[in-house]
Amino acid sequence: MSTLAQTESGTPTTCAGPASTQDLGSSYGDCLQGECSRKPDQKLPELHGVGDPVMFSSNSSYLSSRGRMIKWFWDSAEEGYRTYHMDEYDEDKNPSGIINLGTSENKLCFDLLSRRLTQPDMQWVEPSLLQYPDWRGHLFLREEVAKFLSFYCKSPAPLKPENVVVLNGCASLFSALATVLCEAGEAFLIPTPYYGAITQHVHLYGNVRLAYVYLDSKVTGTDTRPFQLTVEKLEMALQEATSKGVKVKGLILINPQNPLGDVYAPGELQEYLVFAKRYWLHVVVDEVYMLSVFEKAVGYRSVLSLERLPDPQRTHVMWGASKDFGMSGLRFGTLYTENPDVATAVASLCRYHGLSGLVQYQMAQLLRDRDWINQVYLPENLARLKAAHTYVSEELRALGVPFLSGGAGFFIWVDLRKYLPEATFEEELLLWRRFLDKKVLLSFGKAFECKEPGWFRLVFSDKAHRLRLGMQRVRQVLEEKAQVAEDPPPCQTQEPSDQRR
Amino acid sequence: MSHQSGTFPAPCGQKACQVLKDRNICIQVLVMIQHLQRRVDEHLKQLPTTRQRLHLPKQKQAQSTHEQEALLDHLIRQMVNFLKSRATGGLEQQVSLLSLECRGNVRSAQRAQSSRQPGQLVLQWSDIEPAFVSHDLSNRGSEICVLYHSSFQDYNAYQGDKYQEDKNTLGFINLGTSENKLCIDLITERLGQSDMNCIEDVLLQYPDWRGQPFLREEVARFLTYYCKAPAQLDPENVVVLNGCCSVFSALAMVLCDPGEAFLVPTPFYGGFAFSSHLYAKVELLPVHLESEITEANTHPFQLTVDKLEHTLLQARFMDKKVRGLVLTNPQNPLGDVYSRESLKEYLEFAKRNDLHVIIDEIYMLSVFDESITFHSVLSMERLPDPNRTHVIWGTSKDFGISGFRFGALYTHSKEVASAVGSFGYLHSISGITQHKLCQLLRDREWIDTIYLPTNHFRLQKAHAYITNTLQSLRIPFLCRGSGLYIWINLKKYLNPCTFEEERLLHRRFLDNKLMLSCGKAYMCKEPGWFRLVFADRPLRLKLAILRFCEVLEEQKQDWKEKQLADAMKE
């Protein structure tokens, strides 16, 4: 049911050697610039302790053994990113280049954003913005964030600026939280499939691991939905980690979920929080897609909207501008926690994760402009997301491909198991590579630590012409596959029940 | 869950972990004891003097006594709690509740105080805050808090109570933080121009984590020109991150394993100690320099290869693995510039010993004395060991925009560049900011004809003003022509000449709302040195000097009183 992300002994079995490393690296779907994470089959070795792994020691190297390991992981991840960037699609210059439906970015509203960001109020420069800041973030921005979250998370009482810490992105926030909440070698529980880059975020500086809570797609008695998280599964995963001698310090929840595109019901959320409280676990709730719920019927609730949090001192919420405002390049992430020690400790690290005063000012202006957000940006953004989603889901349906989509996020979780001759991750990889050969980039399930081979994440939040071309290429690959298949596809019968949500 | 799982398993083995943990606990307890001791000292010292000086009404006196007592009581309780909690691991929860409770008390007390009297008391209270033992944080999380507070508490007090001409004339004047505030008008005007304001989709999307190619290209061109590199520098060797401390931290991560060390000549910029310890757990081994001029020392605080060799030898004797040498050029806090010859000697020493050299040249364009020539390490025709030579530069000092958060690494080693680049997503710069930086660095005409001449002229003037004042006060200092600060010697105001007295004098400056940095923060071997930043507007500088003189006068007066009292006793 659960497995640890990294085994203690680490290296020997998992690092297959440089040759295969390169190979795997280039095949890594979700490891583009934005979402770099480790490769599917590798487990991160411990950074110190257990002697020097042979493959990392090299006399010609200028790096320490820790440095060599860091670089090795990065290079292998970057390999995939390079493949894409060497041959990026461009309407005019490179129409046969690769279309990226792998990186979770919202490219639908650039026109709105650029218009807003070039208005005169954004150009303000004043001395205090150019000098060393309050490392928690400028007070004016923290006040604006508190107001913003109070409103959009529907908090029962106004949130407080002193509970806000601002950093240069949610990756930094994961890293800082891991460092101040866990000792090296300790772990967070995380339900899979999950946004795989978190593995790197918590490991690079923090040396913290993830203990997986594996979910499956099958709908059975207690599981009324595919990939349903239950307290029972959490309990089991926690037990297993503990029995292996790994201390679990917290639970990471992503809501709305990535890659499932689903949201947790308030009742479920409450159950998970109560579970965490029972074991003195911190809960880190990543709500970075909270305003990207484009299906009106979906009842999304932020954890900050709950009337009474079971353990407010151990509940930490993160949000950022990367997804909901489609500005992953702005590097803005924020923490909300009622625990002053945690806020202070994270702020102590902010010297290393700060963002420019001018950008802080622009961010505050943006969050403050409720008229623009409510009347211009959000309605338009949600309408465009919905249209793109409708287009892609129609295409998939026409192809007879099952998929999951919960009405939130930028992606559809696609079930391509029937296209794998064998239910293995090798086959998943081959299919993924087939897509890349046809110049369309997707992310494969292994990158999200999905238990079942054959799932892919497809990002739909891109301009219509790119999306159309991307889907054409997807169709080509799948039709070709279906023709080539000599045996009838193996898992055609099993379709997730609520694929049409 | 068994208690066994409380200690983390794997890498270093239970025993080593326990040692580490114990050491952490020791550090925390020591810090607490120090605070307590300091508090008791101050308590005893302050009460009689406040009574005499201020003639406080009885009631208020009693109140402040009460507050002090409550504070002492709290500290002791906290220590007991802490020790108890460690001794009885299993009963963690109970203790945690207890400590939570008393933490709450302190917090509200602190708030009440800060609203009433923003100055002195806040500082005193913030002294204790690091001693909080949190059961919500990991040990290293607590340690980070302690370290941060002990390093930045004054800075945080300043952030909350800055001097403002119109609004807060009683606020802190900061001659402690090295910032150039002389050219904000020029920078503001330049940043307000229309070319700065560009939004393109690439700026809003996930970047190349080493930095946008357009910015790395511009940085390479910029450094080629201003460092006078013999050949065009390569953009592929540039990594840009959000600040030089991030660059340093990432370098320490990839060049050293935990517990390994860098050599660094003292006095040195204290931020290095913080940055190398915080994430990377790399040690700094001081190469102690002295102010006295001898045969070997032709100028104060001279760095020689002998001293480097000596420290390296000592380190080897102690079984310390030294991986590199950290140099700052122009020097901080001395304001010295290394000559080409000595620079070469240091680099050759490093090469002989297979050491990396990290050279921080962040003040390279702040050499305002025209008779001084600065030699960037990048200007050398042949570097002794190019793949182990790593240069750091940023815009914080030379362009006075520390709030921009920009630092760049230039290294000939592609391997090091790419390893540091993998930290990019944790230290990234907004695309919008990257665009502005690129526009700024590209505008060579503005830099050469407007910005640099004006900046240097204003630095000269401010420097002259301060040095004249110091001369008239007969305060010795190092008169150099670069940097934003002066290294001054206040030894004669310390009696006895100890670091404790240095700390008290420093505190006295703070109590008078003047921030300076004391020598101890730079690991200076001799007590009594202070760094005074002069790159501030004339008005603030004048006021600062007034406060400075007052403090020294007070200090002298105290000394006389003490002598008188001693004489009476005899």
Side-chain angles (χ1 to χ4, degrees):
Chain A
M1 167 97 342
S2 85
T3 300
L4 289 167
Q6 302 121 38
T7 53
E8 281 147 47
S9 51
T11 26
T13 51
T14 50
C15 302
S20 69
T21 299
Q22 297 257 324
D23 214 36
L24 278 171
S26 63
S27 65
Y28 189 44
D30 199 42
C31 62
L32 297 168
Q33 311 183 1
E35 309 214 325
C36 179
S37 56
R38 69 200 181 82
K39 296 182 313 306
D41 286 36
Q42 258 100 41
K43 320 256 179 204
L44 290 176
E46 290 300 331
L47 282 188
H48 35 85
V50 268
D52 201 76
V54 181
M55 60 166 302
F56 293 117
S57 60
S58 137
N59 292 330
S60 64
S61 178
Y62 295 100
L63 303 174
S64 63
S65 50
R66 165 170 73 184
R68 283 196 291 276
M69 226 174 298
I70 289 167
K71 181 175 180 300
W72 179 76
F73 277 110
W74 181 254
D75 285 354
S76 39
E78 189 145 318
E79 201 65 35
Y81 147 68
R82 270 190 223 124
T83 314
Y84 163 62
H85 266 266
M86 268 162 10
D87 187 21
E88 214 172 315
Y89 169 84
D90 186 289
E91 214 179 336
D92 312 315
K93 283 177 250 161
N94 190 15
S96 62
I98 299 171
I99 300 249
N100 180 0
L101 304 183
T103 309
S104 176
E105 282 189 291
N106 183 350
K107 294 175 181 160
L108 293 172
C109 288
F110 176 71
D111 54 334
L112 303 178
L113 287 164
S114 84
R115 219 173 298 144
R116 182 64 191 88
L117 289 172
T118 43
Q119 274 169 35
D121 68 321
M122 290 290 174
Q123 313 318 322
W124 184 246
V125 181
E126 67 168 30
S128 70
L129 298 178
L130 302 180
Q131 289 164 7
Y132 282 120
D134 178 340
W135 293 112
R136 283 166 189 253
H138 281 288
L139 182 61
F140 64 77
L141 176 56
R142 285 187 288 120
E143 280 169 352
E144 221 43 68
V145 169
K147 277 186 225 156
F148 180 88
L149 293 180
S150 301
F151 182 78
Y152 289 101
C153 297
K154 304 189 178 61
S155 70
L159 302 174
K160 297 177 189 146
E162 61 264 31
N163 297 343
V164 174
V165 184
V166 170
L167 296 90
N168 66 338
C170 290
S172 301
L173 192 43
F174 267 119
S175 168
L177 280 174
T179 305
V180 305
L181 298 180
C182 307
E183 309 298 345
E186 292 181 343
F188 283 116
L189 287 179
I190 193 164
T192 78
Y194 74 101
Y195 170 56
I198 296 173
T199 315
Q200 270 245 354
H201 300 345
V202 299
H203 190 267
L204 191 60
Y205 273 132
N207 208 356
V208 167
R209 331 164 177 202
L210 297 177
Y212 300 139
V213 186
Y214 280 116
L215 309 180
D216 28 19
S217 62
K218 211 176 195 174
V219 175
T220 60
T222 47
D223 288 9
T224 55
R225 285 179 295 140
F227 300 107
Q228 189 176 0
L229 179 63
T230 61
V231 170
E232 198 193 349
K233 291 176 195 169
L234 286 168
E235 297 267 8
M236 279 171 71
L238 178 63
Q239 245 172 44
E240 189 177 328
T242 310
S243 72
K244 283 188 180 162
V246 172
K247 176 138 183 169
V248 173
K249 273 297 187 59
L251 163 68
I252 295 175
L253 294 174
I254 307 172
N255 188 30
Q257 293 158 52
N258 177 4
L260 299 177
D262 211 345
V263 302
Y264 293 122
E268 291 175 317
L269 208 52
Q270 186 81 21
E271 280 175 29
Y272 309 146
L273 294 174
V274 169
F275 154 82
K277 185 186 166 124
R278 207 161 45 238
Y279 294 98
W280 313 103
L281 299 181
H282 290 271
V283 185
V284 176
V285 191
D286 176 356
E287 299 192 346
V288 80
Y289 290 99
M290 73 168 183
L291 297 181
S292 304
V293 183
F294 54 86
E295 215 59 83
K296 283 207 179 76
V298 175
Y300 171 73
R301 287 278 298 273
S302 161
V303 81
L304 291 173
S305 76
L306 298 180
E307 208 43 69
R308 284 190 46 151
L309 281 174
D311 194 355
Q313 290 292 312
R314 287 203 179 82
T315 309
H316 318 295
V317 183
M318 52 206 280
W319 182 75
S322 295
K323 310 300 178 184
D324 285 342
F325 283 99
M327 302 190 293
S328 40
L330 197 85
R331 312 312 301 139
F332 168 82
T334 182
L335 167 71
Y336 192 86
T337 174
E338 284 182 36
N339 187 320
D341 290 349
V342 174
T344 305
V346 169
S348 303
L349 294 170
C350 280
R351 222 174 131 69
Y352 300 86
H353 309 291
L355 74 163
S356 163
L358 296 180
V359 173
Q360 293 196 36
Y361 183 82
Q362 293 178 325
M363 200 60 223
Q365 288 302 105
L366 196 74
L367 297 182
R368 170 180 298 154
D369 194 350
R370 221 54 74 67
D371 281 351
W372 177 77
I373 297 175
N374 287 336
Q375 281 150 37
V376 182
Y377 180 74
L378 279 186
E380 192 58 41
N381 185 38
L382 296 181
R384 292 181 191 180
L385 281 174
K386 190 168 168 142
H389 177 263
T390 307
Y391 167 71
V392 171
S393 41
E394 289 302 331
E395 285 287 300
L396 290 172
R397 238 169 258 137
L399 279 165
V401 171
F403 61 89
L404 289 179
S405 177
F410 305 157
F411 27 71
I412 293 179
W413 190 234
V414 185
D415 180 5
L416 299 181
R417 286 181 293 176
K418 64 177 173 185
Y419 295 94
L420 304 188
E422 257 179 283
T424 64
F425 289 110
E426 287 72 38
E427 287 296 336
E428 180 180 277
L429 207 59
L430 286 176
L431 178 55
W432 178 85
R433 184 158 300 145
R434 191 75 204 115
F435 283 120
L436 196 62
D437 288 347
K438 287 284 168 201
K439 304 296 176 73
V440 60
L441 184 72
L442 303 180
S443 310
F444 51 74
K446 187 67 190 166
F448 303 87
E449 203 54 47
C450 185
K451 200 179 149 191
E452 306 160 3
W455 291 86
F456 285 74
R457 189 185 75 175
L458 192 155
V459 173
F460 59 79
S461 50
D462 206 345
K463 294 284 189 196
H465 67 278
R466 280 196 294 257
L467 206 53
R468 222 172 293 130
L469 196 55
M471 285 313 289
Q472 258 174 38
R473 295 175 183 179
V474 168
R475 174 192 285 269
Q476 253 178 27
V477 172
L478 294 183
E479 279 172 352
E480 194 181 282
K481 265 277 185 192
Q483 278 171 12
V484 174
E486 286 164 16
D487 305 317
C491 1
Q492 221 162 13
T493 46
Q494 201 188 66
E495 289 191 17
S497 62
D498 68 341
Q499 56 161 295
R500 294 227 39 204
R501 252 178 80 181
Chain B
M1 279 191 299
S2 66
H3 180 59
Q4 201 59 22
S5 64
T7 49
F8 52 92
C12 39
Q14 296 264 347
K15 213 168 169 189
C17 292
Q18 197 50 50
V19 171
L20 245 166
K21 228 175 175 176
D22 289 349
R23 205 198 307 165
N24 270 348
I25 296 171
C26 283
I27 291 171
Q28 293 190 31
V29 174
L30 274 175
V31 170
M32 285 188 225
I33 293 175
Q34 268 173 6
H35 284 303
L36 190 62
Q37 198 179 10
R38 211 181 293 167
R39 201 59 52 211
V40 174
D41 285 354
E42 266 163 38
H43 178 58
L44 293 175
K45 261 182 215 154
Q46 259 175 19
L47 277 183
T49 49
T50 4
R51 228 172 270 158
Q52 282 166 12
R53 284 231 182 114
L54 300 174
H55 306 290
L56 280 173
K58 260 235 158 84
Q59 198 188 349
K60 217 172 175 187
Q61 232 180 70
Q63 189 194 342
S64 90
T65 315
H66 183 72
E67 274 168 12
Q68 296 268 8
E69 278 168 5
L71 181 52
L72 293 176
D73 180 52
H74 165 73
L75 272 167
I76 293 168
R77 264 181 37 197
Q78 211 176 25
M79 277 171 57
V80 172
N81 273 343
F82 182 71
L83 292 171
K84 219 161 65 184
S85 74
R86 293 294 148 177
T88 59
L91 297 169
E92 249 177 24
Q93 198 38 46
Q94 222 177 326
V95 183
S96 133
L97 283 175
L98 226 159
S99 73
L100 249 169
E101 191 183 62
C102 79
R103 201 156 61 222
N105 288 339
V106 178
R107 279 238 159 65
S108 54
Q110 184 184 358
R111 260 195 295 277
Q113 293 225 351
S114 56
S115 61
R116 203 176 55 227
Q117 196 180 352
Q120 196 180 346
L121 278 169
V122 176
L123 279 170
Q124 291 178 358
W125 277 102
S126 62
D127 268 348
I128 350 163
E129 194 149 17
F132 284 151
V133 179
S134 172
H135 284 267
D136 296 323
L137 299 179
S138 58
N139 288 340
R140 60 181 176 180
S142 305
E143 198 211 351
I144 287 165
C145 280
V146 171
L147 195 70
Y148 178 77
H149 275 273
S150 57
S151 314
F152 296 101
Q153 55 177 349
D154 302 336
Y155 173 76
N156 288 337
Y158 156 75
Q159 282 292 342
D161 183 25
K162 279 188 200 181
Y163 169 85
Q164 273 165 318
E165 241 167 275
D166 36 355
K167 279 179 260 171
N168 188 17
T169 49
L170 293 177
F172 279 101
I173 299 191
N174 184 356
L175 303 188
T177 309
S178 178
E179 281 188 291
N180 185 348
K181 294 173 183 161
L182 291 171
C183 289
I184 290 176
D185 54 335
L186 298 181
I187 289 281
T188 306
E189 204 240 311
R190 183 64 192 85
L191 290 175
Q193 280 171 31
S194 56
D195 64 326
M196 289 290 167
N197 180 26
C198 156
I199 305 288
E200 277 172 51
D201 52 359
V202 293
L203 300 180
L204 296 187
Q205 289 166 13
Y206 282 121
D208 180 337
W209 294 116
R210 292 174 301 159
Q212 294 276 10
F214 64 77
L215 179 57
R216 285 188 288 115
E217 277 161 28
E218 204 49 55
V219 169
R221 272 195 290 268
F222 183 90
L223 293 179
T224 306
Y225 179 75
Y226 288 102
C227 297
K228 304 189 178 59
Q232 191 70 37
L233 299 175
D234 181 358
E236 289 303 302
N237 296 342
V238 175
V239 182
V240 305
L241 301 178
N242 66 340
C244 293
C245 56
S246 301
V247 176
F248 190 84
S249 167
L251 271 176
M253 284 292 289
V254 304
L255 299 182
C256 301
D257 285 325
E260 295 182 342
F262 287 132
L263 296 181
V264 53
T266 71
F268 66 86
Y269 165 60
F272 288 141
F274 196 70
S275 299
S276 52
H277 176 77
L278 194 67
Y279 281 127
K281 305 294 172 212
V282 168
E283 284 181 39
L284 295 182
L285 298 179
V287 181
H288 282 301
L289 309 182
E290 283 144 33
S291 62
E292 207 179 329
I293 293 179
T294 60
E295 248 173 77
N297 250 4
T298 55
H299 62 261
F301 300 105
Q302 190 177 2
L303 178 63
T304 61
V305 171
D306 270 358
K307 292 175 197 167
L308 288 170
E309 299 272 11
H310 179 73
T311 315
L312 185 62
L313 205 69
Q314 269 185 326
R316 293 207 168 132
F317 189 67
M318 295 183 317
D319 237 2
K320 268 274 149 255
K321 178 141 193 195
V322 177
R323 290 300 294 254
L325 165 66
V326 179
L327 296 174
T328 312
N329 189 29
Q331 245 283 341
N332 176 10
L334 301 174
D336 270 328
V337 165
Y338 293 127
S339 72
R340 199 189 280 273
E341 295 68 41
S342 25
L343 207 51
K344 195 143 200 194
E345 282 175 24
Y346 309 147
L347 292 176
E348 264 152 16
F349 153 82
K351 186 189 164 95
R352 266 199 309 283
N353 294 287
D354 284 337
L355 298 182
H356 289 272
V357 184
I358 298 178
I359 303 199
D360 180 354
E361 298 191 347
I362 194 166
Y363 293 99
M364 73 167 182
L365 297 181
S366 303
V367 183
F368 52 87
D369 182 337
E370 278 159 19
S371 67
I372 295 173
T373 319
F374 164 75
H375 300 285
S376 165
V377 83
L378 293 174
S379 72
M380 290 190 164
E381 210 43 70
R382 285 192 45 157
L383 279 174
D385 195 354
N387 281 316
R388 286 204 179 82
T389 310
H390 318 293
V391 184
I392 299 178
W393 180 74
T395 46
S396 295
K397 314 298 178 185
D398 287 343
F399 286 93
I401 44 173
S402 40
F404 249 68
R405 314 311 305 132
F406 166 78
L409 166 71
Y410 192 87
T411 172
H412 288 284
S413 162
K414 295 264 187 313
E415 193 188 15
V416 174
S418 119
V420 168
S422 64
F423 284 84
Y425 69 92
L426 297 180
H427 302 296
S428 54
I429 313 174
S430 170
I432 295 176
T433 310
Q434 295 199 40
H435 172 79
K436 289 183 185 185
L437 284 163
C438 180
Q439 292 304 109
L440 193 73
L441 299 182
R442 168 179 295 164
D443 194 351
R444 218 59 71 66
E445 197 186 316
W446 176 78
I447 297 174
D448 284 338
T449 61
I450 300 175
Y451 179 74
L452 282 183
T454 318
N455 186 33
H456 288 168
F457 177 71
R458 291 181 186 174
L459 283 171
Q460 275 163 24
K461 260 182 42 184
H463 182 261
Y465 170 69
I466 294 288
T467 49
N468 288 338
T469 314
L470 290 171
Q471 259 156 10
S472 67
L473 289 167
R474 298 182 186 289
I475 292 171
F477 60 93
L478 298 187
C479 191
R480 301 289 184 263
S482 60
L484 312 174
Y485 35 73
I486 301 180
W487 188 236
I488 65 177
N489 189 345
L490 299 179
K491 212 157 70 179
K492 64 173 174 181
Y493 294 94
L494 305 186
N495 181 37
C497 187
T498 61
F499 282 114
E500 178 53 18
E501 287 295 317
E502 178 183 286
R503 195 186 64 74
L504 289 175
L505 179 56
H506 182 232
R507 174 67 39 197
R508 185 161 252 175
F509 283 123
L510 286 173
D511 291 348
N512 283 274
K513 299 294 183 71
L514 178 61
M515 285 181 68
L516 297 179
S517 319
C518 56
K520 182 86 183 161
Y522 302 86
M523 297 267 275
C524 187
K525 202 180 155 192
E526 308 161 8
W529 291 88
F530 284 76
R531 190 189 74 172
L532 188 153
V533 174
F534 61 81
D536 209 339
R537 311 293 297 193
L539 185 88
R540 278 196 294 256
L541 221 46
K542 278 202 183 97
L543 191 58
I545 287 296
L546 268 174
R547 293 181 185 178
F548 181 74
C549 292
E550 260 170 48
V551 169
L552 293 183
E553 202 46 51
E554 231 177 75
Q555 183 87 352
K556 260 197 248 167
Q557 210 56 45
D558 263 17
W559 189 0
K560 276 185 197 154
E561 274 172 30
K562 221 165 99 189
Q563 275 180 323
L564 211 65
D566 287 349
M568 300 268 276
K569 256 186 243 162
E570 282 165 20

